[in-house]
Every structure is written in C-alpha cells, then in structure tokens.
Amino acid sequence: MPKITLEVSEELSKKLAQVGDALRQATSCLRLPELLALSLQQPAVLAQVYRYILDFLASNPTPEQIAEFKPTPEMQERLRTLLTRSNAGELTPTELKELDEYERIEHLVVMIKAGNLSKIWV
C-alpha cells in the first residue's frame, strides 16, 4: 500500500491521533485511513456527515457524550426525506446509494457507541 506523508499543524496532528485512538477503541475493523477514504468517495453531503463524526471523535468525547451523540437536525431531515422517497418508490440511483451510505454510517455510530457504553455502566 502506498504511504502518503503530510505536513500538518501540531494541533491537527493531535486531533488526528485522537481520532485514530477513538476508532481503535470503538472497533478493530475500521481505521482512520479507511474512514478518510470513505469521506472522499461520497457526495458532498455525506462527506459532511463523515467530517461531523471525525470532528466529534477528535474532540476526545467522554463516554457520556458518545452515548448522547446524534445526527444534526439537517442530517435527520435529509434521512427522513430519503426514507419517505424510498417508501414511495421514488429514489434515484444516486439517492439509493446515499441512503445505503447512511445505513453504513448508522452502523459505524452504533459500533462506536457499543465500544464505549460499557464505561458508563461499570
């Protein structure tokens, strides 16, 4: 696999390290490079969702904050729209891919929460 070296600020370096640590704690099957690759492959709206998740993880959230983590109202509205259109059989192929990706994102968030919720109940 090719290796890419980037020069980033000290602050960004620390945030990226925190994201990597949070992802390792949440799941052993997903790594930061994979999450970054997914964000680059997605339409702008989904890239914003992945950035939202990355920013949250980079903030080094507490287990309680992880348990309370949820999509923004805009994300919730977009998902409602896609589900309504899906139920009516009106999704375009692009919208179907977007809805599928929201399902993957939901799975990611569930894995993150499951990996950290035990700390709350101990």
Side-chain angles (χ1 to χ4, degrees), residues 41 71 73-74 78 95 103:
Q41 295 170 5
E74 295 81 13
R78 178 61 180 156
E95 289 172 326
E103 185 175 333

Side-chain angles (χ1 to χ4, degrees), residues 2-117:
K3 190 174 191 174
I4 297 174
T5 304
L6 298 172
E7 289 186 30
V8 297
S9 68
E10 187 67 32
E11 179 183 349
L12 180 56
S13 175
K14 288 177 184 176
K15 285 185 178 185
L16 289 172
Q18 290 172 349
V19 168
D21 291 343
L23 288 174
R24 278 190 291 283
Q25 290 174 5
T27 174
S28 61
C29 66
L30 186 66
R31 294 182 302 265
L32 180 58
E34 293 165 345
L35 190 57
L36 291 173
L38 282 172
S39 72
L40 293 173
Q41 295 170 5
Q42 302 307 319
V45 170
L46 289 172
Q48 289 175 354
V49 173
Y50 279 109
R51 279 193 294 276
Y52 174 69
I53 294 169
L54 284 171
D55 288 344
F56 172 73
L57 292 173
S59 74
N60 198 19
T62 65
E64 292 81 8
Q65 290 171 319
I66 292 171
E68 294 171 7
F69 181 73
K70 62 184 179 183
T72 66
E74 295 81 13
M75 292 173 195
Q76 293 174 15
E77 181 59 33
R78 178 61 180 156
L79 184 55
R80 271 193 292 276
T81 298
L82 291 171
L83 290 171
T84 300
R85 290 180 50 76
S86 176
N87 290 336
E90 300 173 347
L91 282 182
T92 66
T94 301
E95 289 172 326
L96 181 57
K97 288 179 184 178
E98 183 180 355
L99 185 57
D100 288 344
E101 193 59 32
Y102 271 109
E103 185 175 333
R104 285 186 201 88
I105 290 167
E106 175 63 18
H107 181 71
L108 168 67
V109 171
V110 166
M111 290 188 319
I112 290 168
K113 287 183 177 194
N116 288 284
L117 285 179

